[in-house]
Amino acid sequence: RKEFDWGKWRPAFGAGAALVAAAVDNDAGGGVVDDEDVTSGYYAHGGLFYDFDSKAFIGLDARVMTGTELELGAIETNADYQQFTLVLGLRF
């Protein structure tokens, strides 16, 4: 993660590779599913934060993972996600 100091504003970003391991173990409904898979993907993280003072800040944070593919039993899916957060923080 890289942060920049622009006075009271602090933009930040980061990126890299992701490794996801998933497993399912289900014997409900008369059938047994016991499978696992591992996949890789891409991860990115960024945000913009504003310092009210040396102890309090507010910001927007975004995280994205993409490019993953999983096969668990007969289900083909992925572990991709997007997350957007409003952050209120205090430093000690």
Side-chain angles (χ1 to χ4, degrees):
R1 176 175 157 148
K2 174 67 176 165
E3 285 191 20
F4 299 91
D5 183 7
W6 292 353
K8 290 195 172 276
W9 292 97
R10 289 183 299 113
F13 72 92
L19 184 65
V20 177
V24 63
D25 184 9
N26 184 1
D27 60 3
V32 175
V33 177
D34 185 6
D35 199 5
E36 57 188 44
D37 198 4
V38 176
T39 185
S40 60
Y42 307 99
Y43 175 81
H45 176 192
L48 182 62
F49 306 94
Y50 178 80
D51 292 331
F52 292 115
D53 55 33
S54 64
K55 296 194 184 256
F57 65 93
I58 190 170
L60 297 172
D61 183 74
R63 298 167 189 233
V64 177
M65 184 165 59
T66 189
T68 62
E69 296 178 3
L70 293 165
E71 186 176 327
L72 298 167
I75 299 172
E76 292 184 15
T77 188
N78 62 61
D80 296 355
Y81 75 93
Q82 301 83 36
Q83 172 184 327
F84 303 94
T85 308
L86 175 64
V87 179
L88 300 172
L90 294 175
R91 294 184 192 93
F92 297 95

